[in-house]
Amino acid sequence: MTGHHDTTGNSPLFGTLAVIGPGLIGSSILRRARQDGTIAARLVACDASPAVRARVAELGLADRVEADPLRAVADADCVILCVPVGAVAEVGAAILPAMKPGAILTEVGSTKQSIIGAITPFLRPDVPFVPTHPMAGTEYSGPDAGFATLFDDRWCLLTPLPDTDPAAVSVIETLWHRMGARTRIMDAAHHDRVCAIVSHLPHLLAFTICGTADDLADETRSEVLDFAASGFRDFTRIAASDPVMWRDIFLNNRDALLEMLARFTEDAQAMARAIRWGDEAFIVDRIERGRRIRRSLLENRQA
Amino acid sequence: MTGHHDTTGNSPLFGTLAVIGPGLIGSSILRRARQDGTIAARLVACDASPAVRARVAELGLADRVEADPLRAVADADCVILCVPVGAVAEVGAAILPAMKPGAILTEVGSTKQSIIGAITPFLRPDVPFVPTHPMAGTEYSGPDAGFATLFDDRWCLLTPLPDTDPAAVSVIETLWHRMGARTRIMDAAHHDRVCAIVSHLPHLLAFTICGTADDLADETRSEVLDFAASGFRDFTRIAASDPVMWRDIFLNNRDALLEMLARFTEDAQAMARAIRWGDEAFIVDRIERGRRIRRSLLENRQA
């Protein structure tokens, strides 16, 4: 059973939209909703941190700023959990009993199977739950880091459960289209493998190479890091991301990430062997694949 | 013995400067020299490709454009080899007999020990050889890709041989300062290890992960690459680089690169083990090192 959400015209999709955790993603949702006008008539922000609440109020990102999540969600037609992956199920379990019948619960975590598994025991038949993953972000965090165009032309992946009300899924798709994003619906397990390779593994590699370089600098008491050329600089931009967020993502997508790292390591060893034995054709073939993939990303407007 | 190179005032450092291979690096040197005025009175460009020569002439990057390297270097006071790493020694051997006594030979390859080893048998006692590595570049190549500010605030590493005339080293340092770069003199073996970790290994990882993702997309007949989030996009920018250039770099810095990949693989496996067993402190420690390194790079104006 889904409440009345207007997906047809320019009137707001929701009466009241509540964002729990107005950080980079949550504050970008609020900014876009504020600017757009067709997303929600009233915006509520909720955070456990007094500093974050004060900053959200100062920035004028919401009509109401709440410390108590139960008060924040009580009259909401849609609640978006924008808390770290490791906290989604706990916060969801806490607020679900306070939600209105017919309101939609959604979240924006970077892993999907672990979140769905943890929150499922707390779900209510009269509150549809739509897991999403907007694939957008920067290396910054907090309410000051968000901006209204963060989701423009980005993908938002939806991984509804088999019994999720299709009308609620459709409402959340409309929400993300109004955020500027493109949407795709897929199975949660497939989502987790795709994100392991395109996002989580690259971050793991970036964090790791920074440590490897740092060890080498210590060992040789030298200026290794002074000379970070363009290759390494791109890696360190990734590596500047929030530690707790990434710890949670790695632990919550353990199986897919370890599988992708194993595949990657096999491929890196094949490249090492080609370099050791001077197999020029193999090396060039691998590099040219990278160029082809780059081109296809450009054509998809994702790079 | 070094010729007369004015390193003191604003008059040109060289009478005639010849650039062999006006690609990304070579054409940037020409553009900067043209714009600066204190680098050379006359500029000569030389390339084996008729298309490159025509384009260099169209762009007005040099006073003279030559097809024959022996003619290009005959009256040069400094010759800069900007050809791929794998061709430096061969081109150097070909032009050395045609160079003026006292003229300086230099090159800009990304690896140093293999180039020095290959060119040493051809060196002349009256032509000082100063190997350099300007740590600057983009993923583009060719004479159109260069720009006059490419070297601003970048490092140029010099790896002179033990018997290289210090006066010639000093002239080449001055050249790079006028290109906008900062210089550091180091041993060639140390250079090769530093660049293996800060540049060559990141490129190897970037090429490899593109292939791993592509294989997964084939296997699952799915849209893996449609969803390249920010992590993967940064990797593919690196991976768009020139295949032959990177093949040569990998093969010419084989030992250092394989050592760094082995160190990196150990570290990645340690991270994998921490993820498998849920060692949160280890994971956060590794991620925080990345952030610290990022900060130190920002302070060094290299990111």
Side-chain angles (χ1 to χ4, degrees):
Chain A
M1 184 183 99
T2 299
H4 299 290
H5 309 285
D6 185 346
T7 62
T8 55
N10 289 324
S11 59
L13 190 58
F14 304 112
T16 299
L17 173 67
V19 169
I20 317 288
L24 169 66
I25 299 291
S27 76
S28 294
I29 292 171
L30 290 169
R31 285 179 171 91
R32 180 63 169 238
R34 180 69 97 194
Q35 177 186 299
D36 180 275
T38 71
I39 291 166
R42 288 167 303 280
L43 298 171
V44 179
C46 173
D47 203 282
S49 152
V52 169
R53 290 199 301 276
R55 192 64 191 138
V56 168
E58 257 172 48
L59 292 167
L61 299 182
D63 301 296
R64 241 170 65 215
V65 182
E66 295 279 2
D68 177 2
L70 301 189
R71 283 176 53 98
V73 306
D75 59 352
D77 301 290
C78 178
V79 175
I80 312 183
L81 303 175
C82 302
V83 298
V85 162
V88 171
E90 188 188 331
V91 175
I95 61 159
L96 268 159
M99 285 180 69
K100 289 199 304 195
I104 299 173
L105 177 64
T106 181
E107 51 83 30
V108 297
S110 298
T111 72
K112 297 272 67 89
Q113 288 181 105
S114 67
I115 287 175
I116 291 169
I119 207 170
T120 294
F122 306 99
L123 292 178
R124 286 166 45 178
D126 59 345
V127 174
F129 174 59
V130 184
T132 75
H133 177 199
M135 298 184 78
T138 71
E139 69 270 38
Y140 303 106
S141 51
D144 283 288
F147 48 97
T149 56
L150 177 61
F151 309 111
D152 278 346
D153 286 326
R154 299 292 173 168
W155 286 102
C156 182
L157 307 184
L158 284 74
T159 63
L161 286 61
D163 61 351
T164 306
D165 179 354
V169 177
S170 172
V171 169
I172 298 301
E173 277 203 283
T174 302
L175 166 66
W176 282 103
H177 294 157
R178 295 190 185 177
M179 290 281 157
R182 295 179 283 171
T183 57
R184 190 79 66 89
I185 295 176
M186 62 173 65
D187 171 70
H190 183 61
H191 166 279
D192 285 359
R193 297 183 83 219
V194 166
C195 289
I197 189 75
V198 303
S199 171
H200 308 165
L201 180 60
H203 279 81
L204 185 153
L205 299 178
F207 297 139
T208 300
I209 199 174
C210 285
T212 306
D214 199 29
D215 288 340
L216 186 71
D218 284 350
E219 179 192 302
T220 59
R221 296 180 180 286
S222 78
E223 58 322 64
V224 170
L225 295 171
D226 287 355
F227 307 117
S230 59
F232 200 70
R233 278 188 303 139
D234 286 343
F235 275 60
T236 59
R237 196 184 75 75
I238 296 178
S241 307
D242 182 61
V244 170
M245 183 182 91
W246 280 102
R247 179 200 67 192
D248 283 356
I249 290 172
F250 289 168
L251 292 173
N252 279 278
N253 199 19
R254 182 182 316 213
D255 293 343
L257 179 56
L258 293 176
E259 184 204 329
M260 294 310 155
L261 177 61
R263 286 172 177 249
F264 172 82
T265 304
E266 288 163 19
D267 294 343
Q269 294 301 324
M271 188 67 142
R273 190 171 193 284
I275 291 168
R276 188 177 298 283
W277 295 99
D279 186 344
E280 300 194 353
F282 184 93
I283 298 168
V284 168
D285 176 66
R286 291 284 142 161
I287 298 175
E288 282 180 345
R289 286 182 81 179
R291 282 159 74 92
R292 279 202 305 278
I293 290 164
R294 170 69 180 173
R295 260 198 309 276
S296 76
L297 290 181
L298 285 170
E299 285 158 10
N300 278 323
R301 290 177 301 154
Q302 285 284 308
Chain B
M1 184 181 99
T2 301
H4 299 288
H5 309 284
D6 185 345
T7 63
T8 54
N10 288 325
S11 59
L13 191 58
F14 304 112
T16 298
L17 173 67
V19 169
I20 316 290
L24 169 65
I25 299 291
S27 77
S28 294
I29 292 171
L30 290 169
R31 284 179 172 91
R32 181 63 170 238
R34 181 69 97 196
Q35 177 187 301
D36 180 277
T38 71
I39 290 167
R42 289 167 302 280
L43 297 171
V44 179
C46 173
D47 204 281
S49 152
V52 169
R53 289 198 302 274
R55 191 65 190 137
V56 168
E58 258 172 50
L59 292 166
L61 300 182
D63 301 296
R64 242 170 65 215
V65 182
E66 296 279 3
D68 176 1
L70 300 189
R71 281 175 55 97
V73 307
D75 59 352
D77 301 291
C78 179
V79 175
I80 311 184
L81 302 175
C82 302
V83 299
V85 163
V88 171
E90 189 188 332
V91 176
I95 61 157
L96 268 159
M99 285 180 68
K100 288 199 305 194
I104 300 173
L105 177 64
T106 181
E107 52 82 32
V108 297
S110 298
T111 71
K112 298 273 67 92
Q113 287 180 105
S114 67
I115 287 175
I116 291 170
I119 208 171
T120 295
F122 305 100
L123 293 178
R124 283 166 48 177
D126 59 345
V127 174
F129 174 58
V130 183
T132 75
H133 177 199
M135 299 185 76
T138 71
E139 68 270 38
Y140 304 105
S141 50
D144 283 289
F147 47 98
T149 56
L150 177 61
F151 310 111
D152 278 345
D153 285 328
R154 299 294 174 167
W155 286 104
C156 181
L157 308 184
L158 284 74
T159 64
L161 286 63
D163 61 352
T164 306
D165 180 354
V169 177
S170 171
V171 169
I172 298 302
E173 277 204 282
T174 301
L175 167 66
W176 283 103
H177 294 156
R178 294 190 185 177
M179 291 280 157
R182 294 180 284 172
T183 57
R184 190 81 65 91
I185 295 175
M186 63 173 63
D187 172 70
H190 183 61
H191 166 278
D192 284 359
R193 297 183 82 218
V194 166
C195 289
I197 189 74
V198 304
S199 171
H200 308 166
L201 180 60
H203 279 82
L204 185 153
L205 299 178
F207 297 139
T208 301
I209 199 173
C210 285
T212 306
D214 199 28
D215 288 340
L216 186 72
D218 285 349
E219 180 193 302
T220 60
R221 298 180 182 284
S222 77
E223 59 321 65
V224 170
L225 294 172
D226 288 354
F227 307 117
S230 59
F232 201 71
R233 278 188 303 138
D234 285 343
F235 275 59
T236 60
R237 196 184 74 76
I238 295 179
S241 305
D242 182 60
V244 170
M245 183 183 90
W246 281 101
R247 178 201 67 191
D248 283 356
I249 290 172
F250 289 168
L251 292 174
N252 280 276
N253 199 19
R254 181 182 318 211
D255 293 343
L257 179 56
L258 293 177
E259 184 204 328
M260 295 309 155
L261 177 61
R263 286 171 177 249
F264 172 83
T265 304
E266 288 164 20
D267 293 344
Q269 293 301 325
M271 187 68 141
R273 190 171 193 283
I275 291 167
R276 188 176 300 283
W277 295 99
D279 184 346
E280 300 194 353
F282 184 94
I283 298 167
V284 168
D285 176 66
R286 291 284 141 162
I287 299 174
E288 283 181 344
R289 285 181 82 179
R291 284 160 73 92
R292 277 202 305 279
I293 290 164
R294 171 70 179 170
R295 259 199 309 276
S296 75
L297 290 181
L298 285 171
E299 286 159 9
N300 279 323
R301 292 177 300 156
Q302 285 283 307

